[in-house]
Amino acid sequence: MKSLTAESLLNTIDLTVNNINLLASNNIMQYSINNPLSSSYISGYLITFMSGIYEESIEIILREKIMRSGRKYIINYVNSMIHEKFRNPTYKNVRKLLEKFDKNWVEKLKTIPDRNKTALSSVVNSKNALAHGVTFDVTLAEAIQYYNDSRVVIERLDDIIL
């Protein structure tokens, strides 16, 4: 990735997934990962963590692009606008944000396979379901698959924007 900061954030998700797998394989966890309740709690944590990292990564990538303009007033405005207005990075919300900058970015974003776009939206929608007390039934295996599929969108955004 061109944004080392965003890449570093994504790598924290990799580390978290690896740690969860390590704990599960060594039976270190007090509650078995095979237990549906504890698995649900762990997948809920992972989903929430991923959603926050994705939001932050997208903001960082855009900030890095804007910093290249060198115009402090533009940098300040766009930074505050993104921070205040951009939440819940579903594919649809990412597309709407990019339209405000460059429609060509949106066209390039459309070339990402649907599986990857859907996974990104699934991460955010699952996080919102959990946060608002709606039934949360994402297994740990599904959460990890969502990550593997959705990370592609963030990496592609980095390539498109930077």
Side-chain angles (χ1 to χ4, degrees):
M1 289 182 64
K2 296 172 189 164
S3 172
L4 299 179
T5 305
E7 183 176 31
S8 177
L9 285 172
L10 292 178
N11 288 340
T12 64
I13 301 172
D14 290 331
L15 180 62
T16 301
V17 169
N18 289 337
N19 286 339
I20 289 169
N21 287 331
L22 179 66
L23 292 171
S25 68
N26 291 329
N27 292 320
I28 294 172
M29 300 177 85
Q30 182 178 4
Y31 299 100
S32 170
I33 218 158
N34 296 320
N35 175 300
L37 181 61
S38 55
S39 179
S40 176
Y41 287 148
I42 294 165
S43 63
Y45 165 79
L46 186 57
I47 287 285
T48 304
F49 184 61
M50 285 188 294
S51 183
I53 294 293
Y54 287 167
E55 186 176 303
E56 186 67 20
S57 295
I58 293 165
E59 288 180 20
I60 286 168
I61 291 166
L62 285 169
R63 274 192 220 117
E64 288 181 13
K65 178 68 172 182
I66 295 157
M67 294 294 284
R68 294 178 183 174
S69 79
R71 294 187 177 113
K72 189 166 179 67
Y73 60 93
I74 293 173
I75 294 167
N76 290 340
Y77 172 76
V78 175
N79 279 339
S80 75
M81 187 273 303
I82 293 170
H83 185 72
E84 291 174 16
K85 304 284 184 191
F86 181 65
R87 296 286 173 260
N88 294 315
T90 60
Y91 172 75
K92 179 180 176 181
N93 288 347
V94 170
R95 193 182 70 235
K96 286 179 2 182
L97 177 65
L98 294 186
E99 284 174 348
K100 295 176 194 286
F101 290 93
D102 189 333
K103 297 211 185 303
N104 290 324
W105 292 353
V106 176
E107 291 306 311
K108 291 177 183 176
L109 188 67
K110 288 178 182 177
T111 65
I112 296 171
D114 287 341
R115 176 185 85 252
N116 304 104
K117 295 183 244 183
T118 300
L120 177 64
S121 295
S122 293
V123 167
V124 177
N125 293 335
S126 296
K127 182 260 309 181
N128 288 339
L130 178 65
H132 295 283
V134 178
T135 302
F136 178 83
D137 58 356
V138 176
T139 67
L140 185 56
E142 290 169 328
I144 292 170
Q145 189 60 54
Y146 287 162
Y147 172 61
N148 291 331
D149 291 341
S150 61
R151 180 183 172 125
V152 171
V153 178
I154 307 303
E155 291 170 338
R156 183 74 174 113
L157 281 172
D158 178 83
D159 187 50
I160 291 168
I161 296 169
L162 297 176

